[in-house]
Amino acid sequence: MDKSTYYITTPIFYPNDRLHIGHAYSATVTDTLARYKRLRGFDVRFLTGTDENAQKVQRKAQEAGKETLQFVDEIVASIQSLWRRLGISYDDYIRTTEPRHQEIVQKIFTKLQDQGDIYLGEYEGWYCTPDESYWTERQLVDGKCPDCGREVERVREKSYFFRMSRYADRLIAHYQEHPEFIVPESRKNEMLQNFLLPGLEDLCVSRAAAGWGIEVPGDPQRVIYVWLDALTNYITALGYLSGDSAREALMARYWPADVHMMAKEIVRFHAIYWPIILMALDLPLPKQVVGHGWLLMKDGKMSKSKGNVVDPNLLIDRYSADALRYFLLRDIAFGQDGVFTLESMMERLNYDLANDLGNLLHRTLSMVERFCGGQVPAPGPHTDVEERFSTLIVDAVTQVELALDRYDFSGALAAIWTIVRRGNQYIDEMAPWALNKAGQTERLGAVLYNTLDVMRIVGILLEPFMPHTPARIFAQLGLDVSVADRRSAELSWAAAREMGRLPSGQATQKVEPLFMRLDVEKEIAELEALLAGEVGKGEVGKGEAKSAPPAKSLEVAAAESPKAEPEGVTTLIGIEDFAKVELRVARVIEAQKIEKADKLLKLQLDLGYERRQVVSGIAKFYTPEELAGQLVILVANLKPVKLRGEASHGMILAASVGDQLRLATVAGDIELGAVVK
RNA sequence: GGCGGAGUAGCUCAGCUGGUUAGAGCAUACGGUUCAUACCCGUAGGGUCGGGGGUUCGAGUCCCUCCUCCGCUACCA
């Protein structure tokens, strides 16, 4: 009989830096599902990996003075080590630099090109020459390279494009036929309203080659760009088109994927580009694309430039992988952003793990030692109390199952903890110490047996969430956890519903408490010191503040960046470069808001010798009324463009920092049209 | 501007397809217990469920509208 398969993936991570706790969260939730499905008897395939072909990776390597591949190897080793330590039970780890991936990506490219899905067109955008990197209009920061802050130039060159629009209708239909395709559902509307319904643009899938990346077949001048390369990992890892029958069998067995798990910012690529690529390849679509929220710090999104990145290794060293996993899974409402604070982590570890769970096992074992000679006593008949306990357990197990089906990890753990709490209550109500005094040894034994048995059940239920703790619990209950076929016996998932499956007579082991209680204040003080040290070690530079949120408040921003160095200091230019820019004094005759644009104002300017219209993005800072009559400085020889349908002949100067902006003007009266230099 | 999310006890959050006195944990106050990692158990106080309308026998839960915060997206020549 064939088992049902379950193919689950994490995104492939960028190896240009060490991973942080947000990545650990992605991996942990995926792993929890994989472990759960295995326990439930599924034939699980769990894939993770790294996205290594970006030019940014090559650049980082150069900065570090290393061969690119060697540089990447080192980072991949650190990622794999982290996953090992966190108990991430992946079945395969794909690196996009491996031949098994690169060769197939080329085959896919050729196939799509032959079908006419990929065509040679013209790319137009911004290029940072020293960085050899391309940017779209909106990636630019103040019109400069977001990475290095240097000038970028407008380029226009041949490039390959994927005809996305061809498949848009089919994708929309797929969304309708499969309402569960995108989780949470709210993202689906975003995809439709923002991208699909307005019309999909063709996706640029190549870049100029620079000695790193996957060459476009038959065109060594270019490499395959990002998404076509990255997304296809999910099938190249299954041997798609490999021509090797053993490997292609994986494809037949596991595709389509059951779940692609990821953080919310890349749902778009998985819910639009990826299905379309698959349609073009005539492959079935994944069953579900699941986007979880972000782990935020108290001061907003984690980013290196803020210096608030938490290294999961540090937390594992100090508290164990299970403790970290428990905290992440329990404290964060899946799908929503969660705030990481050391305080909340300490509280979870103390209250839930040390006090409730750890202490329950510990107090029980010490009574078994004291009253029963350290042997698991005989069960004894159930009374009403045990019947009710049994019902509570069956209900809780059902809740755990339902919660996991909807990715509610926190709810699942909360359900398990109702059992733990009931266990502590049970001991208090039964008062084994009183039974001992009264000489009711049989009942005493039965009560302790039941409590141990409950620990067996809790141990089983915790297996998806915590890879190490359950085995420690079982060992303390005197069970042989090395038995291979234990799944059919008292430790199977099904046995979590049944009280009384714990064997008796064997010796218990009283060892170290499962989780130590922490001195919260002391821990936080020490951790903060350690984290500060980590940040100090970090590299200088802006890192990947790719979508750093607009500074929440200036106070915060200021407090966080003591560096006095102004942003965007660039290379020196000659006077002849500056002379190209024609700056003139102008007076604002009138200004008006532009409909449907909240940053734009349309200004009529008087230059003395002529009048012209300029569109400026200052609506957030100036009202039309206060602008009228103002003297401003205009870049008068800028190529005209249209913005929101309005022609703009030039640009007015303003100084800005963070979310502050002030218009530049001249200090006193001067004739309109005067040249500024 | 478009789309989406959030706004529930002091704090962090649950409340699925509308149904008896709105829940949990933490915090606070009081009490119990001693087996245990000064743990555990119990009781209590505390919420006009962002504001305002509406549908309904009945709404935190559906509809409209407004406010605040957040995200995505277009627009800062």
Side-chain angles (χ1 to χ4, degrees):
Chain A
M1 214 173 44
D2 248 8
K3 291 194 281 185
S4 307
T5 59
Y6 187 79
Y7 182 33
I8 185 167
T9 68
T10 70
I12 47 177
F13 299 97
Y14 276 116
N16 60 1
D17 256 317
R18 306 204 118 217
L19 299 188
H20 58 62
I21 192 171
H23 302 113
Y25 179 69
S26 277
T28 300
V29 296
T30 312
D31 181 67
T32 298
L33 289 170
R35 287 175 182 272
Y36 173 64
K37 290 293 178 178
R38 286 191 202 108
L39 278 175
R40 299 305 306 273
F42 284 80
D43 171 5
V44 171
R45 183 98 183 157
F46 172 12
L47 176 72
T48 188
T50 27
D51 181 12
E52 308 179 6
N53 296 322
Q55 288 184 2
K56 194 168 171 180
V57 171
Q58 184 184 24
R59 215 159 49 243
K60 285 262 180 184
Q62 280 166 2
E63 284 166 19
K66 290 177 178 163
E67 281 295 311
T68 313
L69 193 56
Q70 184 209 337
F71 173 79
V72 178
D73 283 347
E74 286 172 14
I75 292 185
V76 168
S78 81
I79 292 174
Q80 288 178 336
S81 145
L82 172 60
W83 290 166
R84 209 174 310 119
R85 303 189 64 208
L86 241 195
I88 305 304
S89 60
Y90 55 82
D91 298 295
D92 191 5
Y93 188 104
I94 188 155
R95 302 182 51 179
T96 60
T97 47
E98 292 176 83
R100 65 164 171 158
H101 177 73
Q102 303 211 330
E103 285 164 14
I104 306 309
V105 170
Q106 290 182 322
K107 281 192 197 175
I108 289 172
F109 192 98
T110 305
K111 181 175 158 81
L112 294 175
Q113 197 174 16
D114 291 349
Q115 289 174 192
D117 285 308
I118 289 178
Y119 64 94
L120 188 59
E122 195 159 75
Y123 169 85
E124 206 183 331
W126 298 96
Y127 185 67
C128 173
T129 314
D131 269 5
E132 294 172 336
S133 53
Y134 294 82
W135 305 102
T136 61
E137 186 75 43
R138 67 168 178 281
Q139 285 177 302
L140 300 183
V141 174
D142 301 325
K144 304 213 173 101
C145 173
D147 230 36
C148 66
R150 286 176 287 208
E151 295 294 332
V152 289
E153 55 178 310
R154 191 84 187 161
V155 293
R156 183 181 278 240
E157 61 175 48
K158 296 278 182 202
S159 190
Y160 293 92
F161 287 84
F162 190 111
R163 261 185 245 282
M164 286 287 155
S165 46
R166 227 187 214 187
Y167 297 92
D169 290 344
R170 269 177 68 189
L171 185 57
I172 293 169
H174 184 82
Y175 281 10
Q176 276 155 2
E177 286 158 30
H178 303 272
E180 74 296 341
F181 181 60
I182 302 175
V183 175
E185 202 191 348
S186 53
R187 304 257 158 240
K188 183 170 75 182
N189 294 325
E190 263 181 49
M191 298 303 134
L192 281 168
Q193 299 291 344
N194 286 329
F195 306 105
L196 286 169
L197 297 179
L200 269 186
E201 282 178 27
D202 289 350
L203 179 70
C204 181
V205 292
S206 72
R207 287 290 139 97
W212 184 250
I214 307 175
E215 241 176 48
V216 169
D219 188 348
Q221 302 287 306
R222 300 189 172 74
V223 291
I224 298 172
Y225 180 62
V226 189
W227 292 107
L228 188 67
D229 166 13
L231 290 164
T232 49
N233 89 85
Y234 301 130
I235 54 177
T236 61
L238 293 180
Y240 175 68
L241 289 188
S242 64
D244 172 333
S245 59
R247 290 181 46 218
E248 285 191 354
L250 288 173
M251 186 73 189
R253 182 161 185 78
Y254 293 107
W255 193 257
D258 290 85
V259 175
H260 289 313
M261 182 66 70
M262 70 206 68
K264 62 186 183 183
E265 78 277 7
I266 53 173
V267 167
R268 171 178 152 199
F269 305 101
H270 286 76
I272 295 178
Y273 300 149
W274 180 224
I276 287 180
I277 292 169
L278 288 165
M279 284 176 186
L281 293 172
D282 203 22
L283 289 171
L285 307 192
K287 292 175 195 158
Q288 228 168 35
V289 171
V290 182
H292 66 246
W294 286 335
L295 250 193
L296 304 173
M297 305 305 288
K298 254 181 298 193
D299 47 6
K301 198 177 167 185
M302 240 182 285
S303 76
K304 277 187 57 181
S305 51
K306 276 193 188 172
N308 59 3
V309 177
V310 177
D311 179 359
N313 281 298
L314 182 69
L315 299 175
I316 296 173
D317 287 342
R318 243 179 134 77
Y319 309 111
S320 82
D322 282 17
L324 174 57
R325 288 172 60 122
Y326 176 81
F327 168 72
L328 293 173
L329 294 166
R330 175 64 238 249
D331 217 58
I332 295 163
F334 186 81
Q336 293 181 32
D337 295 347
V339 178
F340 176 91
T341 65
L342 296 175
E343 288 85 348
S344 59
M345 178 156 172
M346 296 307 118
E347 284 174 6
R348 284 294 179 195
L349 301 194
N350 267 351
Y351 299 136
D352 296 357
L353 296 182
N355 294 354
D356 288 353
L357 176 68
N359 186 51
L360 172 59
L361 179 62
H362 196 255
R363 69 194 293 209
T364 308
L365 287 170
S366 69
M367 284 190 279
V368 169
E369 232 168 51
R370 199 142 125 188
F371 305 142
C372 309
Q375 282 191 330
V376 178
H382 276 195
T383 69
D384 282 358
V385 182
E386 284 81 25
E387 286 306 319
R388 283 201 301 275
F389 203 160
S390 171
T391 307
L392 178 138
I393 288 170
V394 172
D395 288 349
V397 175
T398 304
Q399 300 244 354
V400 171
E401 293 170 355
L402 291 173
L404 285 177
D405 284 344
R406 53 171 199 270
Y407 309 111
D408 178 6
F409 303 96
S410 181
L413 284 168
I416 296 173
W417 252 256
T418 62
I419 302 177
V420 174
R421 291 213 158 78
R422 183 59 207 149
N424 276 316
Q425 276 176 0
Y426 180 72
I427 290 181
D428 276 27
E429 286 169 16
M430 297 300 112
W433 51 91
L435 293 171
N436 179 57
K437 254 186 194 157
Q440 299 183 34
T441 47
E442 260 182 44
R443 183 59 185 156
L444 168 65
V447 167
L448 292 179
Y449 172 88
N450 290 329
T451 313
L452 293 172
D453 192 37
V454 164
M455 292 310 301
R456 170 189 64 87
I457 288 169
V458 169
I460 295 168
L461 296 176
L462 285 178
E463 288 200 280
F465 307 90
M466 302 189 184
H468 309 297
T469 303
R472 293 172 66 202
I473 294 175
F474 300 146
Q476 296 194 30
L477 299 179
L479 297 175
D480 182 1
V481 286
S482 64
V483 177
D485 67 348
R486 48 181 271 251
R487 291 288 151 231
S488 58
E490 69 272 6
L491 296 181
S492 69
W493 185 266
R497 287 193 141 81
E498 301 166 22
M499 278 182 86
R501 296 285 304 262
L502 178 70
S504 39
Q506 77 274 25
T508 58
Q509 287 176 31
K510 191 175 173 183
V511 289
E512 289 286 291
L514 294 175
F515 297 96
M516 286 313 298
R517 202 181 148 74
L518 308 167
D519 178 337
V520 175
E521 275 181 33
K522 194 176 135 228
E523 283 299 323
I524 289 178
E526 290 185 19
L527 270 174
E528 277 175 350
L530 281 169
L531 288 171
E534 284 287 310
V535 170
K537 276 193 295 183
E539 318 160 34
V540 191
K542 280 197 257 171
E544 48 194 319
K546 42 180 171 178
S547 54
K552 290 222 151 173
S553 72
L554 289 168
E555 296 79 33
V556 175
E560 274 168 2
S561 48
K563 53 176 180 190
E565 193 187 333
E567 297 262 329
V569 175
T570 54
T571 47
L572 297 176
I573 60 169
I575 186 80
E576 67 283 358
D577 288 320
F578 178 73
K580 292 178 192 163
V581 182
E582 181 191 334
L583 299 174
R584 286 178 186 272
V585 175
R587 186 183 299 283
V588 179
I589 302 166
E590 67 158 330
Q592 11 175 191
K593 279 225 63 159
I594 293 180
E595 288 272 314
K596 302 196 173 185
D598 26 78
K599 292 188 185 171
L600 300 184
L601 288 183
K602 184 168 66 173
L603 311 176
Q604 306 302 331
L605 299 182
D606 185 356
L607 272 166
Y609 60 93
E610 72 170 73
R611 225 184 115 140
R612 57 165 98 181
Q613 171 170 305
V614 165
V615 175
S616 183
I618 54 174
K620 290 254 167 91
F621 309 98
Y622 290 93
T623 61
E625 294 72 39
E626 58 185 322
L627 280 173
Q630 279 266 350
L631 284 182
V632 294
I633 298 173
L634 173 77
V635 180
N637 61 340
L638 209 55
K639 268 194 290 189
V641 287
K642 273 200 169 185
L643 290 171
R644 279 275 153 194
E646 294 289 347
S648 182
H649 301 274
M651 158 173 130
I652 59 171
L653 300 187
S656 74
V657 58
D659 55 2
Q660 277 190 311
L661 183 141
R662 296 283 182 277
L663 280 179
T665 184
V666 284
D669 256 341
I670 191 160
E671 200 174 316
L672 294 180
V675 171
V676 178
K677 56 182 184 184

